């Protein structure tokens, strides 16, 4: 698995990937079937409170990883994807 950040793309270590919540891909607004993708995602999100929690956990983790990658890049340091932000 690869994590795309504003600072580049980074491999997600297996031990981190195993901890990530199971969330379907976000709809692609440029796709020909964008309306259907958005509707399907909303149905999934509304189907269970756990889905909303998992989505928020993944979103927050991605924001934290993006910030950490940017800091590492600014400091000219290597960046390794971690589970920071999943708690």
């Amino acid at each position: 698995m690869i994590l795309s950040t504003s600072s580049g793309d980074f491999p997600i270590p297996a031990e981190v990937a195993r901890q990530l919540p199971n969330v379907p891909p976000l709809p692609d607004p440029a796709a020909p079937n964008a309306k259907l993708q958005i509707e399907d995602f909303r149905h999934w999100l509304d189907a269970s409170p756990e889905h909303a929690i998992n989505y928020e956990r993944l979103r927050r983790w991605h924001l934290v990883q993006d910030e950490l990658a940017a800091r590492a890049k600014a400091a000219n340091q290597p960046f390794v994807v971690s589970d920071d932000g999943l708690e």
Side-chain angles (χ1 to χ4, degrees):
M1 290 179 73
I2 299 293
L3 173 67
S4 294
T5 72
S6 57
S7 300
D9 296 336
F10 303 93
I12 301 173
E15 62 273 8
V16 175
R18 282 191 291 275
Q19 297 176 59
L20 297 176
N22 189 12
V23 174
L26 290 176
D28 177 2
N33 66 343
K35 207 173 207 175
L36 179 60
Q37 288 182 25
I38 291 167
E39 188 176 306
D40 287 348
F41 188 81
R42 283 189 182 146
H43 284 304
W44 174 85
L45 201 55
D46 293 339
S48 165
E50 186 176 323
H51 291 176
I53 291 167
N54 285 343
Y55 170 74
E56 281 302 316
R57 283 184 66 222
L58 188 62
R59 188 185 69 80
R60 182 183 42 184
W61 171 79
H62 192 270
L63 291 172
V64 168
Q65 294 302 303
D66 191 72
E67 181 180 325
L68 293 173
R71 284 188 201 165
K73 184 176 181 179
N76 202 25
Q77 297 290 321
F79 172 69
V80 177
V81 176
S82 68
D83 63 356
D84 291 349
L86 274 178
E87 57 281 333

